[in-house]
Structures are given as structure tokens and as C-alpha cells.
Amino acid sequence: MTASVPRSRCFIHVTLRDGRPLAGARIAVEQASGPVPELMYQTDADGHAQIGLPTGEVRLRIFTASGESRSVDINVGAEPDKTYDVTIDPP
């Protein structure tokens, strides 16, 4: 039996440099310190998405509606329900 990797519920808030939320963006986890489901997450109208992530360094790939993508790194702590603000350049 293998031990499960602790995960934190994270809220990702994606905005463009001008402050507008990036609605409908898709988010994939590219790298993490532990296993994560191979799913795409989508931001809501306010640019928010909820993802369960293991603690440590995580690389996310964010896809815009036009199909362009950007990678961003976040450091997930052990605190639950934290919001991680991610700002990307407009496509």
C-alpha cells in the first residue's frame, strides 16, 4: 500500500496584465511534487478555478481561448483554501 500525497485545495485566479479576469481559460498541471489527475480545469467568468494540488513547486500551463498558452510556476503551501493570483500577458 502506498501513502497518499497530501493535497491542498487551491484557488487559481487568472488575470491579464491590465487586470481583466481571463474567463474560459483552461489550466493543466505540467509538473508537481506529487501525482495529480490529468485533467483540464477551466476558469469561470471571474477568472477563478479550483484545483487540488500537492504542496511544493507546481508548474501550470494556462491556455487562452485563442489556443495560445503560457507556463507559470507557483509554490503551494500547506495552508488550505489559498488563492494564487496568476497574471499573464494578453494573447
Side-chain angles (χ1 to χ4, degrees):
M1 179 182 233
T2 59
S4 64
V5 175
R7 294 160 60 98
S8 292
R9 181 170 63 175
C10 302
F11 298 96
I12 310 298
H13 182 222
V14 183
T15 57
L16 298 171
R17 291 251 179 248
D18 64 7
R20 290 179 295 141
L22 189 55
R26 291 167 299 150
I27 302 172
V29 180
E30 284 191 321
Q31 285 183 319
S33 60
V36 292
E38 292 185 22
L39 299 171
M40 292 288 266
Y41 303 87
Q42 187 166 350
T43 59
D44 62 16
D46 296 320
H48 293 99
Q50 179 180 318
I51 305 175
L53 295 170
T55 58
E57 292 294 322
V58 174
R59 175 166 289 151
L60 304 175
R61 180 158 294 274
I62 301 171
F63 296 87
T64 65
S66 65
E68 295 184 34
S69 69
R70 308 283 191 277
S71 286
V72 295
D73 295 326
I74 61 172
N75 189 0
V76 177
E79 64 275 9
D81 301 335
K82 182 174 178 181
T83 298
Y84 294 87
D85 292 307
V86 175
T87 302
I88 65 170
D89 291 319

